[in-house]
Amino acid sequence: MSRHMKIAAAQLGPIHLADSREAVVKRLIALMREAQSQGARFIVFPELALTTFFPRWWMKDQSEVDRRFFEASMPSPVTQPLFDESKRLGVGFYIGYGELTEEAGRMRRFNTAILVGPDGNVVGKYRKVHLPGHADHKPQAAFQHLEKKYFEVGDIGFKVWRFMDAITGMLICNDRRWPEAFRMLALQGAEIVALGFNTPTENLHYPEPPALRVHHHLIMAQSMAFQNATWLVETAKCGVEDGFRMFGHSVIVAPTGEIAAKTTTEDDEVICFNADIDLAQNLKQTMFNFAAHRRPEHYKLIIERIGAEVTPANG
Ligand code: CDT
C-alpha cells in the first residue's frame, strides 16, 4: 500500500487594512472546515495570512507597524481558535505571519511560516530567506515592495520535519524563484514542500504582462516539484487588496511536474488532492537518485559566489 495524504491549498482573497484579525481568523477557520470536509489532512494557508500585504507601503512609525502587522506570539489569544479548530478536526496546517521577537535584548522581525500538527501544536518554524524588493522609499513607484526594510533575512536555514507520515519542508513566496532553496529541502528528503505567497500582478521593477508573471509562477512550480521529486503546495493571498492586485493560481503540483489542482478565482477558495507520497519516493530512487547522479565536486561556485561574474575558460 502506498502512502497517501489528502493535501489542500486554502487560498485567501484580499485582506484589507480595515479587516480585523478576528475576521481573518474566522475566514481561515471556514477554509479549514471546508478543506477537512473534502477529506484534507494537511492544509497550506498563504504567506502573511493574517493581514494585508503591508510591505507595499512606506511607514515610518515602527511601533504602529509592529502593532498592526506583526505577531508577538503564535498562537496568540486572537489566533488560538484556529489552533483549537485544527485539533478538533485533526488536521495539520502551514501558515505565514509577521513574527516579532525579542532576542538578546533586541527586537527582531521575520517573515515566518509555521507547521502545526493535527493536535494543534507547533511542530516547526521557517523564517523567509529570500526577501525581495528594496529597503529604500521609492516615492515615484505605484507601490513599494519593502520586505528588505521590514524583515531580517531568516536565520534558521532550510529544514524538514517528519510530519503526518511525510517528510515536509517549508518555503515562503520569493523562495520559489531560487532552485537552491528547493534543493536544500530535497537533499534532506522532502516529500512535500509547503509554500505561501503574495505576488503583485504588476511587476514593480519593470513592465511585464501579467500573464507572463503567472506563466513564470507555474513553470517554476512545475520544474521545482519535478527536479526535486516532491509534492508542492503553493497557496496565494490574492485579489484586489486595498486597491492593489495580486494573482491567485494556487497550485498543488505532483512530483512528476504535473499540476494536480489549481484555483480558478482570486478569492477564498480551497483545492485538494489525494497525494501519493510514494510517487515522490519512486522518483527519488530513479531519475533523481541524488546519491547516484549528483556531482557536488563540480558545484563549488554555487556556495562560493553570489552574483554572476564572467570568467570565460578561454580568457
Ligand atoms: N511576497 C513575495 O515574496 N513576493 C515576490 C514579489 C517579487 S516582485 C518585488 C514574489 O516573488 O512573488
Side-chain angles (χ1 to χ4, degrees):
M1 265 290 277
S2 59
R3 285 173 300 153
H4 278 75
M5 175 153 62
K6 200 155 192 185
I7 51 185
Q11 176 178 287
L12 279 169
I15 299 176
H16 304 294
L17 259 179
D19 295 340
S20 68
R21 292 270 208 302
E22 286 81 356
V24 175
V25 169
K26 277 195 184 126
R27 281 166 65 185
L28 294 168
I29 289 174
L31 288 166
M32 182 179 269
R33 287 182 183 153
E34 187 180 335
Q36 192 266 350
S37 74
Q38 292 180 36
R41 291 168 50 217
F42 176 45
I43 300 161
V44 179
F45 291 116
E47 173 193 33
L48 299 173
L50 296 168
T51 67
T52 189
F53 189 70
F54 65 92
R56 69 168 69 91
W57 292 296
W58 176 263
M59 293 173 281
K60 286 191 182 147
D61 183 346
Q62 188 60 52
S63 59
E64 167 94 348
V65 171
D66 290 348
R67 188 178 57 75
R68 294 187 81 159
F69 306 116
F70 282 84
E71 313 303 313
S73 66
M74 194 62 128
S76 59
V78 177
T79 51
Q80 185 64 50
L82 182 67
F83 292 71
D84 294 343
E85 194 66 4
S86 125
K87 182 176 176 182
R88 191 181 76 78
L89 297 173
V91 296
F93 68 98
Y94 159 115
I95 190 163
Y97 64 98
E99 180 190 3
L100 177 66
T101 176
E102 187 174 347
E103 288 175 14
R106 178 164 83 89
M107 296 314 290
R108 307 189 68 188
R109 297 165 187 85
F110 297 98
N111 186 339
T112 294
I114 47 171
L115 205 51
V116 179
D119 57 0
N121 290 318
V122 177
V123 171
K125 178 183 280 190
Y126 168 66
R127 291 170 170 168
K128 186 175 182 179
V129 166
H130 298 101
L131 298 175
H134 49 101
D136 57 316
H137 189 199
K138 297 191 183 303
Q140 307 308 323
F143 59 94
Q144 312 290 304
H145 198 109
L146 290 161
E147 289 196 55
K148 283 182 161 65
K149 167 178 165 62
Y150 292 121
F151 303 115
E152 289 183 53
V153 172
D155 61 348
I156 46 184
F158 301 99
K159 293 184 185 151
V160 299
W161 291 266
R162 197 170 286 282
F163 179 73
M164 303 177 75
D165 202 27
I167 299 167
T168 303
M170 291 187 278
L171 296 175
I172 302 178
C173 196
N174 191 262
D175 288 324
R176 76 197 194 282
R177 301 181 192 273
W178 303 99
E180 299 89 336
F182 280 88
R183 190 47 60 95
M184 286 297 295
L185 297 179
L187 282 169
Q188 299 169 78
E191 296 168 319
I192 299 178
V193 175
L195 180 151
F197 66 95
N198 287 257
T199 301
T201 302
E202 297 294 331
N203 190 331
L204 166 68
H205 300 290
Y206 54 89
E208 188 181 34
L212 197 53
R213 303 266 287 161
V214 172
H215 172 70
H216 295 153
H217 158 69
L218 295 176
I219 59 170
M220 287 188 297
Q222 293 187 257
S223 57
M224 298 296 176
F226 176 56
Q227 291 172 340
N228 293 287
T230 178
W231 285 92
L232 172 59
V233 187
E234 294 194 345
T235 307
K237 177 153 65 63
C238 55
V240 183
E241 196 176 72
D242 290 313
F244 299 90
R245 190 164 178 195
M246 302 186 292
F247 66 72
H249 299 273
S250 303
V251 281
I252 300 174
V253 186
T256 54
E258 293 163 291
I259 295 176
K262 189 166 91 61
T263 56
T264 53
T265 71
E266 289 187 345
D267 218 325
D268 291 12
E269 181 180 348
V270 169
I271 51 170
C272 288
F273 193 79
N274 193 20
D276 176 357
I277 307 299
D278 286 326
L279 185 56
Q281 274 309 324
N282 292 345
L283 269 171
K284 286 178 196 298
Q285 284 154 26
T286 53
M287 179 172 298
F288 294 115
N289 182 332
F290 287 175
H293 306 304
R294 290 186 76 250
R295 293 287 171 243
E297 68 273 25
H298 292 291
Y299 307 154
K300 286 201 177 73
L301 269 188
I302 287 177
I303 54 163
E304 286 172 357
R305 192 173 286 182
I306 302 174
E309 290 170 32
V310 181
T311 48
N314 64 356

